[in-house]
Amino acid sequence: MVKIKFCGLRRIEDIRYVNILKIDYAGFVFSKSKRIVDKDSARVLIENLDPEIKRVGVFVNEEIDFVAEIVNSLHLDIVQLHGKETDEYVDTLKSLLDVEIWKAVRIKGNENFIFQRADKILLDTFVVGLPGGSGIPFDWNSISNITLNKPFILAGGLNHLNVEKAIEILRPYGVDVSSGIETDGYKDFEKMRLFVEKVRK
């Protein structure tokens, strides 16, 4: 079954919603974003999260010491890198932390999808000035015949109206959504429920 990640969780209501829906991954943003959470706020959210849901920290071009502090303090399961982090950066993280690492690739043309160091690849839409969370899908057919050397998570403009088609075309390991399950910038339980229903269908 395709895995589901909800990203940009920042309210206790968001945690209640994901616990009800039993998704696979809960994402918390620790870099500059309208969905950013600080360590103390994230701790409260994670303490209330169903322990079977994996905890993902999202970072963009952060110092390794900062990432390590957040991971160790909050006992995160996964680090999602959404900036220009190099393979050497990933190697250093792996030497310091016992976590899975995802590396985002922003689709804009002929990308190099070979990331030997990251455990999984996250495919997102390229938008100038935005590392992610744009709410804009890329052309899924443009990469439908590319063989990736790692499991991949599909992101970028997904919602309950298009996620079935995206899965049909690309057959991803998982799907990642943030703005597509929001209304007026906040997580919307009905949109979340519909998204989960479409994916699991």
Side-chain angles (χ1 to χ4, degrees):
M1 183 181 291
V2 176
K3 305 294 186 182
I4 299 171
K5 173 175 171 262
F6 285 166
C7 200
L9 306 176
R10 54 198 171 103
R11 303 179 303 161
I12 200 68
E13 295 97 317
D14 301 343
I15 300 303
R16 188 166 68 247
Y17 298 160
V18 302
N19 287 345
I20 291 169
L21 295 169
K22 303 289 185 187
I23 61 166
D24 304 286
Y25 300 98
F28 303 92
V29 179
F30 295 100
S31 295
K32 185 178 178 181
S33 163
K34 61 185 178 182
R35 302 180 184 92
I36 191 172
V37 289
D38 60 35
K39 183 172 68 174
D40 292 336
S41 299
R43 188 189 312 281
V44 173
L45 299 176
I46 288 170
E47 285 174 349
N48 286 277
L49 183 68
D50 183 328
E52 293 189 4
I53 299 174
K54 291 190 179 297
R55 305 172 292 272
V56 183
V58 181
F59 302 91
V60 183
N61 301 324
E62 297 290 352
E63 294 291 333
I64 285 176
D65 288 348
F66 173 74
V67 177
E69 178 193 352
I70 295 291
V71 169
N72 290 326
S73 176
L74 301 179
H75 306 291
L76 300 182
D77 301 296
I78 295 156
V79 168
Q80 179 178 319
L81 302 174
H82 234 287
K84 297 179 180 178
E85 298 88 0
T86 63
D87 275 344
E88 289 71 27
Y89 182 105
V90 173
D91 280 345
T92 302
L93 276 185
K94 280 181 169 288
S95 71
L96 294 172
L97 304 169
D98 182 24
V99 292
E100 186 172 302
I101 297 180
W102 298 358
K103 181 69 181 77
V105 178
R106 298 161 68 202
I107 305 300
K108 60 179 178 177
N110 296 319
E111 280 73 25
N112 174 11
F113 294 106
I114 301 174
F115 283 84
Q116 298 293 345
R117 318 299 209 277
D119 299 296
K120 291 182 177 65
I121 299 168
L122 185 138
L123 304 182
D124 202 355
T125 306
F126 177 83
V127 177
V128 175
L130 279 179
S134 68
I136 301 170
F138 61 88
D139 179 5
W140 302 316
N141 287 300
S142 69
I143 63 165
S144 61
N145 61 349
I146 293 176
T147 300
L148 300 177
N149 70 329
K150 296 285 173 70
F152 73 94
I153 298 94
L154 179 63
L158 295 177
N159 56 54
H160 69 276
L161 299 174
N162 65 14
V163 69
E164 283 182 287
K165 176 60 71 175
I167 291 171
E168 179 185 332
I169 293 172
L170 291 178
R171 303 291 179 187
Y173 164 84
V175 289
D176 184 358
V177 61
S178 187
S179 60
I181 50 171
E182 293 179 348
T183 297
D184 298 327
Y186 294 97
K187 296 295 185 273
D188 180 319
F189 179 74
E190 184 61 13
K191 289 182 178 178
M192 297 165 90
R193 185 190 68 77
L194 287 169
F195 189 91
V196 170
E197 180 181 282
K198 291 297 178 69
V199 173
R200 292 182 174 161
K201 179 175 160 186

